[in-house]
Amino acid sequence: MTDGSSRRQTKVERVIDEYDLESWGDRLEAKWVGDGTERTSLRDLAAEFNRAVLRAAVRDAGGSMVESDIETLYRTLTDDDVSRSETVRKRRELERTGVDIDAVSSDFVTHQTIYTYLTNVRNASLPEADTDDRLERKTETVQRLAGRTQVVTESTLEELGNAGEIADRDYEVFVDVRAICGNCGADYPIATLLDQGDCDCEIADGS
């Protein structure tokens, strides 16, 4: 559960308030810990949450879309494999309906942001049975450290801003832990590399 302190809101909390997604706090926690069902990965949770943000933005602009259209639209806006011309076309369609797509895209969250919200705000943790898995535990350790670094940095910026030692702004901090393959030079977010278990160049070599 969230605490009632005067700390600055996390991005997930702000986006939930801004897009009237109150039920998503409980939903994210339940899906992550399993709550009697199969667990949902942080990456999938981020995608689900972002689609909810997009759906709410379209709704607030007076439009409506079926779920399959929202999924297609989200993929068009975020997938690097989609052609630039198709992305531009979809963005213009949204803008004509009154959706500020730049603002909406900036409100999309990463899996790390979801993790920080779940563990630091809602104090959620994985069931013991799940944390027995070595890969899962190691991935969670890296994410916890990155989340802790993010929180400490945000607190430092806020403290220095309040003291007038730096410009007092609503800073958003990103901590991006990445790994570079020594074989082909491919650059991966660490969670992606751990999730797929190898670099694509090794996958290709073994095919």
Side-chain angles (χ1 to χ4, degrees), residues 141-176:
T141 296
V142 173
Q143 291 170 328
R144 184 185 297 112
L145 290 171
R148 179 59 180 164
T149 300
Q150 179 182 356
V151 170
V152 170
T153 304
E154 288 173 344
S155 176
T156 298
L157 291 174
E158 184 173 7
E159 180 181 339
L160 292 175
N162 291 338
E165 297 185 42
I166 63 172
D168 188 10
R169 301 286 187 270
D170 188 13
Y171 298 104
E172 187 170 338
V173 176
F174 295 92
V175 178
D176 189 15

Side-chain angles (χ1 to χ4, degrees), residues 51-80:
R51 287 196 295 269
V53 170
L54 182 57
R55 189 182 308 110
V58 172
R59 176 202 65 208
D60 292 345
S64 61
M65 286 187 177
V66 298
E67 187 59 31
S68 60
D69 290 339
I70 289 291
E71 292 182 3
T72 299
L73 179 58
Y74 179 68
R75 186 180 66 83
T76 301
L77 296 173
T78 60
D79 195 330
D80 292 336

Side-chain angles (χ1 to χ4, degrees), residues 183-199:
N183 186 35
C184 69
D187 184 357
Y188 292 93
I190 189 63
T192 299
L193 182 62
L194 294 176
D195 183 51
Q196 71 181 36
D198 211 338
C199 176

Side-chain angles (χ1 to χ4, degrees), residues 19-165:
Y19 291 88
D20 295 325
L21 300 173
E22 286 81 5
S23 66
W24 273 86
D26 291 338
R27 186 181 303 186
L28 289 170
E29 182 175 348
K31 283 176 170 284
W32 186 54
V33 302
D35 199 18
T37 61
E38 184 177 351
R39 289 185 54 244
T40 303
S41 71
L42 291 167
R43 183 166 283 98
D44 288 343
L45 283 178
E48 288 184 23
F49 184 77
N50 291 340
R51 287 196 295 269
V53 170
L54 182 57
R55 189 182 308 110
V58 172
R59 176 202 65 208
D60 292 345
S64 61
M65 286 187 177
V66 298
E67 187 59 31
S68 60
D69 290 339
I70 289 291
E71 292 182 3
T72 299
L73 179 58
Y74 179 68
R75 186 180 66 83
T76 301
L77 296 173
T78 60
D79 195 330
D80 292 336
D81 292 334
V82 177
S83 68
R84 177 173 174 76
S85 60
E86 176 65 10
T87 301
V88 170
R89 184 177 71 81
K90 286 293 186 181
R91 288 175 66 92
R92 287 175 177 168
E93 287 180 5
L94 284 172
E95 289 167 354
R96 283 196 294 270
T97 65
V99 176
D100 186 343
I101 193 57
D102 287 331
V104 173
S105 296
S106 70
D107 286 332
F108 288 163
V109 301
T110 65
H111 68 277
Q112 180 186 311
T113 305
I114 292 289
Y115 181 81
T116 299
Y117 167 72
L118 289 172
T119 56
N120 292 347
V121 177
R122 298 189 67 89
N123 296 319
S125 59
L126 293 179
E128 188 64 30
D130 288 321
T131 55
D132 285 342
D133 179 78
R134 179 179 174 82
L135 181 58
E136 185 83 22
R137 285 189 289 110
K138 293 300 183 182
T139 302
E140 185 179 354
T141 296
V142 173
Q143 291 170 328
R144 184 185 297 112
L145 290 171
R148 179 59 180 164
T149 300
Q150 179 182 356
V151 170
V152 170
T153 304
E154 288 173 344
S155 176
T156 298
L157 291 174
E158 184 173 7
E159 180 181 339
L160 292 175
N162 291 338
E165 297 185 42

